[in-house]
Structure formats: C-alpha cells, structure tokens
Amino acid sequence: MVHRNSRPTVSDIRGMKARGEKISMLYVTTLEQAAAADAAGIHMLSIEGRFFSPEMREAAGRCFVQVGLPYGGWGTFEGRHLATAEDYLRAAYHFTAMGGDCFYCAAAYDIQKVLCDNHVPIVAHVGLIPSYITWTGFRAVGKTATEALNVWKHVKHLESLGCFGAELEVVPDRIGALISQNTSMIMLGMGAGPGADAQYLFAEDVLGHTDGHKPRHAKTYRNFSAEFERLQQERIAAFKEFVADVNSGAYPEAQHNVSISDAEFEAFKAGFNQ
C-alpha cells in the first residue's frame, strides 16, 4: 500500500500492481479538481500539458501525475507542435522539472523508444486511441480474436520499448483482464473492465457535466450540470440587479465611496477654477 503522506513513485505504482491493489485515476483540468482528487485519496491523475503548471502540481498534492504530451495537431508546446523525438524529450524534461511523474505519449514507436531510453516513464495507448480516430472510428476494439490479438501485440511491443504503462481503452472486459495479468506495464483501464490495473475516468463524467457524448463506461456520482446551471442563473440575476442599481442610482452608496474633508475639497475647487 502506498503511504498517503508521501507522493508515490513509478516503483510504488508498480508495487500496487504486483500486490493486486486497485488503482484509481482521474483526468482533471482545474486546480479545484486536482485538489479535490488529492483530498479524496485518488492515486493517479492525468493532466494535459496545456493545463499542467507548478500550481497544478501543488494542487495535486500526493497524487501521481501523468502529464499528457501533445500529439500531432492536438496541441502545442512552447508555441509549436511536437514532431521529433527531441521535441518530445524536451517537453518531457520541462514537465519533469514541474513535478510530472510520468508522461502520456501516443507518438510513433521510435519516439516512444527515445523517451524510454532516456529513462522517462512513458504511458502509451492501446485499444481505442482517440488521436488515431480518423483511421478507426469511435468503437470498441478487440471484439474479435484477430483484433484482440493485435491489441496484445501492441502491448508487447510497447513493453519491449520499456514503456511504464498504457491506457487500455474500450476493450472487452475479459481481454482487458488477460492483458493486464500478463504484462509488466500498468494498464490504465478506461472501459476495459474490472481486471485492468487502474480504473480511469474523466472528472467531468464523475461530476456530471460532460459536454457531448457520454461514454458507456462513464459513471456520474454528482450532478454538477444542474448546479452549474443554477449558478449561471444566479450570475445573470446578480448582474441584472447591478445594472438596475446603476440605472437608478442605488449604486454606489456612501459606504462605497472615498470621502474628502470639506476643507480639502474647497481648496481643490479653488485651485480647479484658477
């Protein structure tokens, strides 16, 4: 068991897998979500590079943080798209200095190998891979023996490169379990059944404010969508009241103003009129 008073390491996460301990993981985008995850005892966070900062690392506290390196046209680092192994390595080192614990990388094998050869803990992606979606479409992967074997071959190749783990997305539960049991990598399951090493969800799904499609594997624990709508209506009402007060002269009142003594004001007017 990882001691919750300290921040876990790659070795600690591997130890959790070896002992058969369940690993919880969330994708977060805000300081509030990261801080809440830490307070709740979430083990791992996934944070895209564009959201990661020293402040985010501090908010994440004891959570083990996977930083997402932008792939292809999906984002930029320092104003440019990552294209070469050197680009990715520079970005990984940059986020390591901020406190990133491992790095999501969906780039080509040769780029992943360079990162692994430089002892950067890399999490790859198998099964349904959103960044490749134009080639595959959004669908479950591995429902035929041939396709499931291709997922397994992908896992073994990543393992041979030295990857620390891989996101295992939308594969049949029995495939997810068998793969997880037979690889040294940490398999971060998103819609991959209870046998994956980690159960990985998006905070927005957990909190019930997903925009667009809600995946089958998502589970909502709170309805923040209704709360956000209530807050928005309260914002509008408050702004309307402010407009009404400005129009009527009810705002500002005396307590909102800075006063000046009569003598100083008279002296000002005397100089003002000269």
Side-chain angles (χ1 to χ4, degrees), residues 105-109 112-113 116 122-127 129 132 151-167 183-185 187:
C105 179
Y109 289 141
Q112 292 171 327
K113 186 174 189 307
C116 292
I122 290 300
V123 171
H125 205 142
V126 299
I129 306 175
Y132 304 167
V151 174
W152 173 233
K153 289 174 184 176
H154 191 177
V155 168
K156 294 303 289 181
H157 193 110
L158 294 169
E159 190 180 87
S160 73
L161 298 179
C163 289
F164 160 61
E167 293 185 18
T183 178
S184 60
M185 293 196 301
M187 302 310 293

PDB file of all heavy atoms in Angstrom, residues 105-109 112-113 116 122-127 129 132 151-167 183-185 187:
ATOM      1  N   CYS A 105       2.269   9.520 -24.059  1.00  0.00           N
ATOM      2  CA  CYS A 105       2.821   9.775 -25.386  1.00  0.00           C
ATOM      3  C   CYS A 105       2.219   8.783 -26.371  1.00  0.00           C
ATOM      4  O   CYS A 105       2.414   7.568 -26.250  1.00  0.00           O
ATOM      5  CB  CYS A 105       4.343   9.650 -25.377  1.00  0.00           C
ATOM      6  SG  CYS A 105       5.101   9.923 -26.991  1.00  0.00           S
ATOM      7  N   ALA A 106       1.467   9.309 -27.354  1.00  0.00           N
ATOM      8  CA  ALA A 106       0.835   8.467 -28.372  1.00  0.00           C
ATOM      9  C   ALA A 106       1.570   8.543 -29.700  1.00  0.00           C
ATOM     10  O   ALA A 106       1.024   8.173 -30.738  1.00  0.00           O
ATOM     11  CB  ALA A 106      -0.616   8.884 -28.560  1.00  0.00           C
ATOM     12  N   ALA A 107       2.802   9.027 -29.688  1.00  0.00           N
ATOM     13  CA  ALA A 107       3.574   9.184 -30.922  1.00  0.00           C
ATOM     14  C   ALA A 107       4.105   7.825 -31.402  1.00  0.00           C
ATOM     15  O   ALA A 107       3.804   6.776 -30.829  1.00  0.00           O
ATOM     16  CB  ALA A 107       4.716  10.162 -30.699  1.00  0.00           C
ATOM     17  N   ALA A 108       4.914   7.865 -32.449  1.00  0.00           N
ATOM     18  CA  ALA A 108       5.424   6.642 -33.068  1.00  0.00           C
ATOM     19  C   ALA A 108       6.362   5.884 -32.134  1.00  0.00           C
ATOM     20  O   ALA A 108       6.919   6.442 -31.181  1.00  0.00           O
ATOM     21  CB  ALA A 108       6.146   6.996 -34.371  1.00  0.00           C
ATOM     22  N   TYR A 109       6.535   4.594 -32.433  1.00  0.00           N
ATOM     23  CA  TYR A 109       7.389   3.737 -31.616  1.00  0.00           C
ATOM     24  C   TYR A 109       8.795   4.304 -31.437  1.00  0.00           C
ATOM     25  O   TYR A 109       9.365   4.236 -30.346  1.00  0.00           O
ATOM     26  CB  TYR A 109       7.502   2.339 -32.242  1.00  0.00           C
ATOM     27  CG  TYR A 109       6.257   1.498 -32.175  1.00  0.00           C
ATOM     28  CD1 TYR A 109       5.907   0.699 -33.270  1.00  0.00           C
ATOM     29  CD2 TYR A 109       5.441   1.468 -31.050  1.00  0.00           C
ATOM     30  CE1 TYR A 109       4.778  -0.110 -33.223  1.00  0.00           C
ATOM     31  CE2 TYR A 109       4.313   0.670 -31.009  1.00  0.00           C
ATOM     32  CZ  TYR A 109       3.981  -0.113 -32.091  1.00  0.00           C
ATOM     33  OH  TYR A 109       2.865  -0.912 -32.055  1.00  0.00           O
ATOM     34  N   GLN A 112       8.701   6.995 -28.840  1.00  0.00           N
ATOM     35  CA  GLN A 112       8.491   6.419 -27.516  1.00  0.00           C
ATOM     36  C   GLN A 112       9.761   5.742 -27.006  1.00  0.00           C
ATOM     37  O   GLN A 112      10.096   5.830 -25.816  1.00  0.00           O
ATOM     38  CB  GLN A 112       7.330   5.423 -27.562  1.00  0.00           C
ATOM     39  CG  GLN A 112       5.983   6.088 -27.799  1.00  0.00           C
ATOM     40  CD  GLN A 112       4.871   5.097 -28.070  1.00  0.00           C
ATOM     41  OE1 GLN A 112       5.104   4.042 -28.668  1.00  0.00           O
ATOM     42  NE2 GLN A 112       3.665   5.422 -27.648  1.00  0.00           N
ATOM     43  N   LYS A 113      10.499   5.100 -27.910  1.00  0.00           N
ATOM     44  CA  LYS A 113      11.727   4.409 -27.507  1.00  0.00           C
ATOM     45  C   LYS A 113      12.792   5.395 -27.036  1.00  0.00           C
ATOM     46  O   LYS A 113      13.491   5.143 -26.045  1.00  0.00           O
ATOM     47  CB  LYS A 113      12.274   3.559 -28.648  1.00  0.00           C
ATOM     48  CG  LYS A 113      13.475   2.696 -28.226  1.00  0.00           C
ATOM     49  CD  LYS A 113      13.919   1.764 -29.317  1.00  0.00           C
ATOM     50  CE  LYS A 113      14.972   0.775 -28.810  1.00  0.00           C
ATOM     51  NZ  LYS A 113      16.115   1.425 -28.149  1.00  0.00           N
ATOM     52  N   CYS A 116      11.878   6.364 -23.563  1.00  0.00           N
ATOM     53  CA  CYS A 116      12.158   5.262 -22.639  1.00  0.00           C
ATOM     54  C   CYS A 116      13.659   5.066 -22.438  1.00  0.00           C
ATOM     55  O   CYS A 116      14.117   4.809 -21.315  1.00  0.00           O
ATOM     56  CB  CYS A 116      11.531   3.966 -23.150  1.00  0.00           C
ATOM     57  SG  CYS A 116       9.733   3.958 -23.128  1.00  0.00           S
ATOM     58  N   ILE A 122       6.990   6.404 -19.530  1.00  0.00           N
ATOM     59  CA  ILE A 122       6.042   6.684 -20.606  1.00  0.00           C
ATOM     60  C   ILE A 122       4.798   5.804 -20.480  1.00  0.00           C
ATOM     61  O   ILE A 122       4.885   4.591 -20.267  1.00  0.00           O
ATOM     62  CB  ILE A 122       6.708   6.453 -21.980  1.00  0.00           C
ATOM     63  CG1 ILE A 122       7.743   7.538 -22.241  1.00  0.00           C
ATOM     64  CG2 ILE A 122       5.674   6.438 -23.107  1.00  0.00           C
ATOM     65  CD1 ILE A 122       7.186   8.946 -22.249  1.00  0.00           C
ATOM     66  N   VAL A 123       3.643   6.445 -20.653  1.00  0.00           N
ATOM     67  CA  VAL A 123       2.364   5.743 -20.769  1.00  0.00           C
ATOM     68  C   VAL A 123       1.904   5.888 -22.212  1.00  0.00           C
ATOM     69  O   VAL A 123       1.723   7.010 -22.707  1.00  0.00           O
ATOM     70  CB  VAL A 123       1.312   6.327 -19.806  1.00  0.00           C
ATOM     71  CG1 VAL A 123      -0.061   5.743 -20.106  1.00  0.00           C
ATOM     72  CG2 VAL A 123       1.707   6.045 -18.359  1.00  0.00           C
ATOM     73  N   ALA A 124       1.734   4.766 -22.885  1.00  0.00           N
ATOM     74  CA  ALA A 124       1.276   4.757 -24.274  1.00  0.00           C
ATOM     75  C   ALA A 124      -0.237   4.528 -24.290  1.00  0.00           C
ATOM     76  O   ALA A 124      -0.919   4.749 -23.290  1.00  0.00           O
ATOM     77  CB  ALA A 124       2.025   3.691 -25.056  1.00  0.00           C
ATOM     78  N   HIS A 125      -0.772   4.080 -25.420  1.00  0.00           N
ATOM     79  CA  HIS A 125      -2.230   3.936 -25.554  1.00  0.00           C
ATOM     80  C   HIS A 125      -2.523   2.771 -26.491  1.00  0.00           C
ATOM     81  O   HIS A 125      -1.944   2.686 -27.577  1.00  0.00           O
ATOM     82  CB  HIS A 125      -2.807   5.233 -26.140  1.00  0.00           C
ATOM     83  CG  HIS A 125      -4.239   5.466 -25.796  1.00  0.00           C
ATOM     84  ND1 HIS A 125      -4.745   6.712 -25.505  1.00  0.00           N
ATOM     85  CD2 HIS A 125      -5.298   4.613 -25.692  1.00  0.00           C
ATOM     86  CE1 HIS A 125      -6.032   6.630 -25.231  1.00  0.00           C
ATOM     87  NE2 HIS A 125      -6.388   5.362 -25.345  1.00  0.00           N
ATOM     88  N   VAL A 126      -3.431   1.890 -26.066  1.00  0.00           N
ATOM     89  CA  VAL A 126      -3.845   0.766 -26.909  1.00  0.00           C
ATOM     90  C   VAL A 126      -5.360   0.634 -26.866  1.00  0.00           C
ATOM     91  O   VAL A 126      -6.028   1.199 -25.999  1.00  0.00           O
ATOM     92  CB  VAL A 126      -3.184  -0.563 -26.464  1.00  0.00           C
ATOM     93  CG1 VAL A 126      -1.673  -0.487 -26.562  1.00  0.00           C
ATOM     94  CG2 VAL A 126      -3.609  -0.925 -25.045  1.00  0.00           C
ATOM     95  N   GLY A 127      -5.900  -0.140 -27.804  1.00  0.00           N
ATOM     96  CA  GLY A 127      -7.348  -0.268 -27.918  1.00  0.00           C
ATOM     97  C   GLY A 127      -7.900   0.888 -28.734  1.00  0.00           C
ATOM     98  O   GLY A 127      -7.381   1.201 -29.812  1.00  0.00           O
ATOM     99  N   ILE A 129      -7.915   4.467 -29.606  1.00  0.00           N
ATOM    100  CA  ILE A 129      -6.942   5.550 -29.406  1.00  0.00           C
ATOM    101  C   ILE A 129      -7.497   6.811 -30.055  1.00  0.00           C
ATOM    102  O   ILE A 129      -7.503   6.944 -31.283  1.00  0.00           O
ATOM    103  CB  ILE A 129      -5.574   5.186 -30.027  1.00  0.00           C
ATOM    104  CG1 ILE A 129      -5.092   3.829 -29.486  1.00  0.00           C
ATOM    105  CG2 ILE A 129      -4.544   6.270 -29.728  1.00  0.00           C
ATOM    106  CD1 ILE A 129      -3.816   3.317 -30.132  1.00  0.00           C
ATOM    107  N   TYR A 132      -5.950   8.659 -33.046  1.00  0.00           N
ATOM    108  CA  TYR A 132      -5.904   7.957 -34.328  1.00  0.00           C
ATOM    109  C   TYR A 132      -7.308   7.741 -34.899  1.00  0.00           C
ATOM    110  O   TYR A 132      -7.508   6.946 -35.815  1.00  0.00           O
ATOM    111  CB  TYR A 132      -5.251   6.570 -34.178  1.00  0.00           C
ATOM    112  CG  TYR A 132      -3.868   6.511 -33.592  1.00  0.00           C
ATOM    113  CD1 TYR A 132      -3.338   5.289 -33.173  1.00  0.00           C
ATOM    114  CD2 TYR A 132      -3.082   7.655 -33.439  1.00  0.00           C
ATOM    115  CE1 TYR A 132      -2.065   5.208 -32.619  1.00  0.00           C
ATOM    116  CE2 TYR A 132      -1.819   7.580 -32.874  1.00  0.00           C
ATOM    117  CZ  TYR A 132      -1.311   6.359 -32.468  1.00  0.00           C
ATOM    118  OH  TYR A 132      -0.062   6.277 -31.922  1.00  0.00           O
ATOM    119  N   VAL A 151      -4.243  -6.048 -30.383  1.00  0.00           N
ATOM    120  CA  VAL A 151      -4.070  -5.211 -29.191  1.00  0.00           C
ATOM    121  C   VAL A 151      -2.967  -5.795 -28.312  1.00  0.00           C
ATOM    122  O   VAL A 151      -2.108  -5.067 -27.802  1.00  0.00           O
ATOM    123  CB  VAL A 151      -5.396  -5.102 -28.400  1.00  0.00           C
ATOM    124  CG1 VAL A 151      -5.171  -4.346 -27.086  1.00  0.00           C
ATOM    125  CG2 VAL A 151      -6.468  -4.406 -29.225  1.00  0.00           C
ATOM    126  N   TRP A 152      -2.976  -7.110 -28.125  1.00  0.00           N
ATOM    127  CA  TRP A 152      -1.966  -7.773 -27.303  1.00  0.00           C
ATOM    128  C   TRP A 152      -0.566  -7.595 -27.899  1.00  0.00           C
ATOM    129  O   TRP A 152       0.399  -7.313 -27.168  1.00  0.00           O
ATOM    130  CB  TRP A 152      -2.314  -9.248 -27.166  1.00  0.00           C
ATOM    131  CG  TRP A 152      -1.281 -10.106 -26.490  1.00  0.00           C
ATOM    132  CD1 TRP A 152      -0.729 -11.251 -26.979  1.00  0.00           C
ATOM    133  CD2 TRP A 152      -0.700  -9.912 -25.202  1.00  0.00           C
ATOM    134  NE1 TRP A 152       0.169 -11.783 -26.092  1.00  0.00           N
ATOM    135  CE2 TRP A 152       0.207 -10.969 -24.981  1.00  0.00           C
ATOM    136  CE3 TRP A 152      -0.834  -8.945 -24.218  1.00  0.00           C
ATOM    137  CZ2 TRP A 152       0.962 -11.094 -23.810  1.00  0.00           C
ATOM    138  CZ3 TRP A 152      -0.090  -9.060 -23.044  1.00  0.00           C
ATOM    139  CH2 TRP A 152       0.793 -10.122 -22.849  1.00  0.00           C
ATOM    140  N   LYS A 153      -0.457  -7.708 -29.225  1.00  0.00           N
ATOM    141  CA  LYS A 153       0.844  -7.494 -29.875  1.00  0.00           C
ATOM    142  C   LYS A 153       1.329  -6.063 -29.683  1.00  0.00           C
ATOM    143  O   LYS A 153       2.525  -5.819 -29.490  1.00  0.00           O
ATOM    144  CB  LYS A 153       0.743  -7.824 -31.371  1.00  0.00           C
ATOM    145  CG  LYS A 153       0.584  -9.310 -31.668  1.00  0.00           C
ATOM    146  CD  LYS A 153       0.341  -9.562 -33.155  1.00  0.00           C
ATOM    147  CE  LYS A 153       0.087 -11.033 -33.446  1.00  0.00           C
ATOM    148  NZ  LYS A 153      -0.235 -11.274 -34.881  1.00  0.00           N
ATOM    149  N   HIS A 154       0.376  -5.128 -29.730  1.00  0.00           N
ATOM    150  CA  HIS A 154       0.721  -3.728 -29.491  1.00  0.00           C
ATOM    151  C   HIS A 154       1.282  -3.565 -28.075  1.00  0.00           C
ATOM    152  O   HIS A 154       2.304  -2.903 -27.861  1.00  0.00           O
ATOM    153  CB  HIS A 154      -0.539  -2.863 -29.682  1.00  0.00           C
ATOM    154  CG  HIS A 154      -0.288  -1.402 -29.721  1.00  0.00           C
ATOM    155  ND1 HIS A 154      -1.283  -0.476 -29.939  1.00  0.00           N
ATOM    156  CD2 HIS A 154       0.849  -0.657 -29.536  1.00  0.00           C
ATOM    157  CE1 HIS A 154      -0.790   0.743 -29.911  1.00  0.00           C
ATOM    158  NE2 HIS A 154       0.510   0.659 -29.657  1.00  0.00           N
ATOM    159  N   VAL A 155       0.615  -4.176 -27.109  1.00  0.00           N
ATOM    160  CA  VAL A 155       1.069  -4.118 -25.717  1.00  0.00           C
ATOM    161  C   VAL A 155       2.475  -4.692 -25.581  1.00  0.00           C
ATOM    162  O   VAL A 155       3.346  -4.099 -24.932  1.00  0.00           O
ATOM    163  CB  VAL A 155       0.081  -4.876 -24.799  1.00  0.00           C
ATOM    164  CG1 VAL A 155       0.672  -5.085 -23.409  1.00  0.00           C
ATOM    165  CG2 VAL A 155      -1.238  -4.112 -24.699  1.00  0.00           C
ATOM    166  N   LYS A 156       2.710  -5.848 -26.178  1.00  0.00           N
ATOM    167  CA  LYS A 156       4.029  -6.486 -26.065  1.00  0.00           C
ATOM    168  C   LYS A 156       5.118  -5.638 -26.712  1.00  0.00           C
ATOM    169  O   LYS A 156       6.253  -5.589 -26.219  1.00  0.00           O
ATOM    170  CB  LYS A 156       3.990  -7.884 -26.703  1.00  0.00           C
ATOM    171  CG  LYS A 156       3.096  -8.876 -25.979  1.00  0.00           C
ATOM    172  CD  LYS A 156       3.482  -9.053 -24.517  1.00  0.00           C
ATOM    173  CE  LYS A 156       4.783  -9.814 -24.338  1.00  0.00           C
ATOM    174  NZ  LYS A 156       5.119  -9.993 -22.913  1.00  0.00           N
ATOM    175  N   HIS A 157       4.791  -4.973 -27.809  1.00  0.00           N
ATOM    176  CA  HIS A 157       5.776  -4.108 -28.448  1.00  0.00           C
ATOM    177  C   HIS A 157       6.118  -2.931 -27.535  1.00  0.00           C
ATOM    178  O   HIS A 157       7.293  -2.579 -27.371  1.00  0.00           O
ATOM    179  CB  HIS A 157       5.257  -3.616 -29.797  1.00  0.00           C
ATOM    180  CG  HIS A 157       6.309  -2.990 -30.651  1.00  0.00           C
ATOM    181  ND1 HIS A 157       6.788  -3.566 -31.804  1.00  0.00           N
ATOM    182  CD2 HIS A 157       7.012  -1.833 -30.517  1.00  0.00           C
ATOM    183  CE1 HIS A 157       7.728  -2.801 -32.333  1.00  0.00           C
ATOM    184  NE2 HIS A 157       7.864  -1.728 -31.570  1.00  0.00           N
ATOM    185  N   LEU A 158       5.096  -2.329 -26.953  1.00  0.00           N
ATOM    186  CA  LEU A 158       5.330  -1.210 -26.041  1.00  0.00           C
ATOM    187  C   LEU A 158       6.154  -1.654 -24.836  1.00  0.00           C
ATOM    188  O   LEU A 158       7.041  -0.932 -24.367  1.00  0.00           O
ATOM    189  CB  LEU A 158       3.992  -0.628 -25.572  1.00  0.00           C
ATOM    190  CG  LEU A 158       3.139   0.034 -26.649  1.00  0.00           C
ATOM    191  CD1 LEU A 158       1.740   0.322 -26.121  1.00  0.00           C
ATOM    192  CD2 LEU A 158       3.793   1.325 -27.150  1.00  0.00           C
ATOM    193  N   GLU A 159       5.858  -2.841 -24.362  1.00  0.00           N
ATOM    194  CA  GLU A 159       6.609  -3.409 -23.243  1.00  0.00           C
ATOM    195  C   GLU A 159       8.080  -3.557 -23.610  1.00  0.00           C
ATOM    196  O   GLU A 159       8.976  -3.247 -22.816  1.00  0.00           O
ATOM    197  CB  GLU A 159       6.003  -4.762 -22.874  1.00  0.00           C
ATOM    198  CG  GLU A 159       6.509  -5.371 -21.595  1.00  0.00           C
ATOM    199  CD  GLU A 159       5.830  -6.703 -21.338  1.00  0.00           C
ATOM    200  OE1 GLU A 159       6.330  -7.736 -21.846  1.00  0.00           O
ATOM    201  OE2 GLU A 159       4.790  -6.717 -20.660  1.00  0.00           O
ATOM    202  N   SER A 160       8.339  -4.002 -24.841  1.00  0.00           N
ATOM    203  CA  SER A 160       9.733  -4.188 -25.288  1.00  0.00           C
ATOM    204  C   SER A 160      10.476  -2.860 -25.412  1.00  0.00           C
ATOM    205  O   SER A 160      11.700  -2.818 -25.296  1.00  0.00           O
ATOM    206  CB  SER A 160       9.763  -4.933 -26.630  1.00  0.00           C
ATOM    207  OG  SER A 160       9.334  -4.098 -27.700  1.00  0.00           O
ATOM    208  N   LEU A 161       9.728  -1.771 -25.654  1.00  0.00           N
ATOM    209  CA  LEU A 161      10.349  -0.450 -25.732  1.00  0.00           C
ATOM    210  C   LEU A 161      10.741   0.072 -24.357  1.00  0.00           C
ATOM    211  O   LEU A 161      11.589   0.957 -24.250  1.00  0.00           O
ATOM    212  CB  LEU A 161       9.396   0.560 -26.388  1.00  0.00           C
ATOM    213  CG  LEU A 161       8.970   0.311 -27.827  1.00  0.00           C
ATOM    214  CD1 LEU A 161       8.007   1.399 -28.276  1.00  0.00           C
ATOM    215  CD2 LEU A 161      10.168   0.238 -28.757  1.00  0.00           C
ATOM    216  N   GLY A 162      10.085  -0.454 -23.327  1.00  0.00           N
ATOM    217  CA  GLY A 162      10.357  -0.001 -21.971  1.00  0.00           C
ATOM    218  C   GLY A 162       9.295   0.918 -21.400  1.00  0.00           C
ATOM    219  O   GLY A 162       9.553   1.604 -20.404  1.00  0.00           O
ATOM    220  N   CYS A 163       8.104   0.936 -22.016  1.00  0.00           N
ATOM    221  CA  CYS A 163       7.038   1.810 -21.516  1.00  0.00           C
ATOM    222  C   CYS A 163       6.625   1.397 -20.103  1.00  0.00           C
ATOM    223  O   CYS A 163       6.592   0.215 -19.764  1.00  0.00           O
ATOM    224  CB  CYS A 163       5.825   1.759 -22.429  1.00  0.00           C
ATOM    225  SG  CYS A 163       6.082   2.566 -24.031  1.00  0.00           S
ATOM    226  N   PHE A 164       6.294   2.377 -19.312  1.00  0.00           N
ATOM    227  CA  PHE A 164       5.851   2.164 -17.934  1.00  0.00           C
ATOM    228  C   PHE A 164       4.422   1.636 -17.892  1.00  0.00           C
ATOM    229  O   PHE A 164       4.074   0.788 -17.069  1.00  0.00           O
ATOM    230  CB  PHE A 164       5.966   3.502 -17.184  1.00  0.00           C
ATOM    231  CG  PHE A 164       5.140   3.609 -15.938  1.00  0.00           C
ATOM    232  CD1 PHE A 164       5.345   2.748 -14.867  1.00  0.00           C
ATOM    233  CD2 PHE A 164       4.177   4.603 -15.815  1.00  0.00           C
ATOM    234  CE1 PHE A 164       4.583   2.866 -13.700  1.00  0.00           C
ATOM    235  CE2 PHE A 164       3.428   4.727 -14.662  1.00  0.00           C
ATOM    236  CZ  PHE A 164       3.631   3.856 -13.601  1.00  0.00           C
ATOM    237  N   GLY A 165       3.590   2.140 -18.799  1.00  0.00           N
ATOM    238  CA  GLY A 165       2.196   1.724 -18.808  1.00  0.00           C
ATOM    239  C   GLY A 165       1.529   2.067 -20.114  1.00  0.00           C
ATOM    240  O   GLY A 165       2.154   2.582 -21.043  1.00  0.00           O
ATOM    241  N   ALA A 166       0.225   1.786 -20.183  1.00  0.00           N
ATOM    242  CA  ALA A 166      -0.558   2.134 -21.369  1.00  0.00           C
ATOM    243  C   ALA A 166      -2.011   2.303 -20.964  1.00  0.00           C
ATOM    244  O   ALA A 166      -2.530   1.556 -20.122  1.00  0.00           O
ATOM    245  CB  ALA A 166      -0.438   1.060 -22.445  1.00  0.00           C
ATOM    246  N   GLU A 167      -2.649   3.302 -21.555  1.00  0.00           N
ATOM    247  CA  GLU A 167      -4.085   3.412 -21.418  1.00  0.00           C
ATOM    248  C   GLU A 167      -4.719   2.297 -22.256  1.00  0.00           C
ATOM    249  O   GLU A 167      -4.364   2.114 -23.416  1.00  0.00           O
ATOM    250  CB  GLU A 167      -4.567   4.782 -21.882  1.00  0.00           C
ATOM    251  CG  GLU A 167      -4.080   5.913 -20.981  1.00  0.00           C
ATOM    252  CD  GLU A 167      -4.648   7.266 -21.363  1.00  0.00           C
ATOM    253  OE1 GLU A 167      -5.666   7.314 -22.099  1.00  0.00           O
ATOM    254  OE2 GLU A 167      -4.074   8.284 -20.938  1.00  0.00           O
ATOM    255  N   THR A 183       1.209  -8.596 -18.514  1.00  0.00           N
ATOM    256  CA  THR A 183       2.199  -7.594 -18.898  1.00  0.00           C
ATOM    257  C   THR A 183       2.751  -6.934 -17.651  1.00  0.00           C
ATOM    258  O   THR A 183       2.045  -6.811 -16.641  1.00  0.00           O
ATOM    259  CB  THR A 183       1.596  -6.523 -19.831  1.00  0.00           C
ATOM    260  OG1 THR A 183       2.601  -5.547 -20.133  1.00  0.00           O
ATOM    261  CG2 THR A 183       0.409  -5.814 -19.191  1.00  0.00           C
ATOM    262  N   SER A 184       3.986  -6.526 -17.737  1.00  0.00           N
ATOM    263  CA  SER A 184       4.603  -5.809 -16.612  1.00  0.00           C
ATOM    264  C   SER A 184       4.162  -4.351 -16.577  1.00  0.00           C
ATOM    265  O   SER A 184       4.333  -3.674 -15.560  1.00  0.00           O
ATOM    266  CB  SER A 184       6.131  -5.871 -16.733  1.00  0.00           C
ATOM    267  OG  SER A 184       6.561  -5.268 -17.953  1.00  0.00           O
ATOM    268  N   MET A 185       3.575  -3.879 -17.672  1.00  0.00           N
ATOM    269  CA  MET A 185       3.132  -2.490 -17.717  1.00  0.00           C
ATOM    270  C   MET A 185       1.886  -2.290 -16.856  1.00  0.00           C
ATOM    271  O   MET A 185       1.112  -3.214 -16.640  1.00  0.00           O
ATOM    272  CB  MET A 185       2.839  -2.052 -19.154  1.00  0.00           C
ATOM    273  CG  MET A 185       4.055  -1.986 -20.056  1.00  0.00           C
ATOM    274  SD  MET A 185       3.742  -1.047 -21.578  1.00  0.00           S
ATOM    275  CE  MET A 185       2.390  -1.953 -22.307  1.00  0.00           C
ATOM    276  N   MET A 187      -1.679  -1.156 -16.728  1.00  0.00           N
ATOM    277  CA  MET A 187      -2.736  -0.967 -17.708  1.00  0.00           C
ATOM    278  C   MET A 187      -3.836  -0.103 -17.095  1.00  0.00           C
ATOM    279  O   MET A 187      -4.507  -0.505 -16.134  1.00  0.00           O
ATOM    280  CB  MET A 187      -3.296  -2.318 -18.162  1.00  0.00           C
ATOM    281  CG  MET A 187      -2.235  -3.244 -18.773  1.00  0.00           C
ATOM    282  SD  MET A 187      -1.203  -2.460 -20.069  1.00  0.00           S
ATOM    283  CE  MET A 187      -2.420  -2.185 -21.347  1.00  0.00           C
TER     284      MET A 187
END
